[in-house]
């Protein structure tokens, strides 16, 4: 994707650097240098690193939200509960390219950035509510609990995917969830 303007260029470049080096190891000077602008130009668009991180988080969280919404739109009324859960797990966990930035943004929110923490909290609630409403289409039983569990499982699968420890058996996980938890 080619950036349309300077702010977008800064945002995309900063995201790449942070994905590669982490938030703590990426300075505004590094970002300005990579974009080939002065620090003054960078400060014109972002008054602080926290403002830039907030926009990166927004871009990242919107991309995941779109994936969640596209995922649940792909489920038809005839899908069984295990098919539905399998589709949800596979599609959400397939956001592997965003896994590193997701972990960096979460760590930043948990350890030091309360504004970012609130921003992420709102998105998690939105994702869970979206999943809950889709689960309710096939079953009214424990839709809320299952929606919380699915969000937690996805976060865990993102971590496992980043570690690349082993291939994740999404279909088997979905079948287990349906047979053991419903």
């Amino acid at each position: 994707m080619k950036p349309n303007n300077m702010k977008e260029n800064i945002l995309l470049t900063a995201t790449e650097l942070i994905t590669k080096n982490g938030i703590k190891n990426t300075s505004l000077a590094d970002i300005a240098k990579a974009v080939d602008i002065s620090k003054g130009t960078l400060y014109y668009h972002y008054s602080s690193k926290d403002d830039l991180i907030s926009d990166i988080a927004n871009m990242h969280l919107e991309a995941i939200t779109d994936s969640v919404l596209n995922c649940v739109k792909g489920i038809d009324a005839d899908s069984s509960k295990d098919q539905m859960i399998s589709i949800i797990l596979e599609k959400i966990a397939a956001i592997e390219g965003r896994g590193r930035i997701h972990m960096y943004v979460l760590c930043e929110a948990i350890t030091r950035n309360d504004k970012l923490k609130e921003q992420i909290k709102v998105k998690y609630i939105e994702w869970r509510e979206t999943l809950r409403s889709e689960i309710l289409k096939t079953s009214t039983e424990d839709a809320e609990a299952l929606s919380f569990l699915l969000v937690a499982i996805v976060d865990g699968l993102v971590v496992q995917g980043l570690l690349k420890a082993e291939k994740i058996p999404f279909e088997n996980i979905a079948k287990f969830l349906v047979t053991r938890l419903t």
Side-chain angles (χ1 to χ4, degrees):
M1 175 169 93
K2 187 177 179 191
N4 296 329
N5 59 44
M6 181 56 70
K7 192 167 185 172
E8 187 177 341
N9 192 21
I10 293 167
L11 188 62
L12 293 173
T13 302
T15 301
E16 289 172 12
L17 287 173
I18 289 171
T19 299
K20 181 179 172 189
N21 303 320
I23 292 173
K24 287 183 180 182
N25 296 326
T26 303
S27 68
L28 291 177
D30 296 333
I31 295 164
K33 183 178 178 182
V35 179
D36 197 25
I37 58 174
S38 69
K39 279 180 68 175
T41 302
L42 179 62
Y43 279 110
Y44 173 78
H45 294 284
Y46 290 100
S47 61
S48 70
K49 189 174 178 181
D50 282 348
D51 288 344
L52 180 58
I53 299 302
S54 179
D55 274 3
I56 288 170
N58 275 335
M59 182 178 72
H60 166 69
L61 295 170
E62 284 306 314
I64 293 178
T65 300
D66 290 346
S67 294
V68 170
L69 294 174
N70 287 334
C71 168
V72 295
K73 286 178 188 172
I75 299 168
D76 60 43
D78 296 330
S79 295
S80 68
K81 195 183 282 186
D82 63 327
Q83 288 171 320
M84 178 187 69
I85 292 171
S86 183
I87 290 168
I88 290 169
L89 291 177
E90 284 179 17
K91 289 192 177 183
I92 294 175
I95 311 167
E96 192 173 318
R98 298 199 159 276
R100 285 178 64 93
I101 196 72
H102 188 68
M103 287 297 114
Y104 286 137
V105 167
L106 286 179
C107 286
E108 181 77 1
I110 291 167
T111 60
R112 69 167 226 57
N113 190 326
D114 288 336
K115 181 181 172 189
L116 185 59
K117 186 177 186 176
E118 285 303 310
Q119 188 178 338
I120 292 170
K121 190 165 70 171
V122 167
K123 282 298 175 185
Y124 266 73
I125 292 168
E126 181 182 338
W127 298 340
R128 194 192 55 72
E129 283 296 319
T130 300
L131 292 171
R132 186 184 68 76
S133 67
E134 288 303 313
I135 293 164
L136 281 171
K137 290 179 181 177
T138 60
S139 169
T140 57
E141 192 176 316
D142 298 324
E144 184 168 3
L146 184 53
S147 68
F148 273 102
L149 185 59
L150 287 172
V151 170
I153 288 170
V154 168
D155 275 344
L157 293 175
V158 167
V159 171
Q160 289 183 38
L162 287 170
L163 295 173
K164 297 191 186 314
E166 55 192 320
K167 189 175 185 299
I168 299 170
F170 295 107
E171 191 173 312
N172 292 344
I173 293 169
K175 285 180 182 172
F176 173 82
L177 288 172
V178 170
T179 58
R180 300 281 202 257
L181 301 176
T182 57

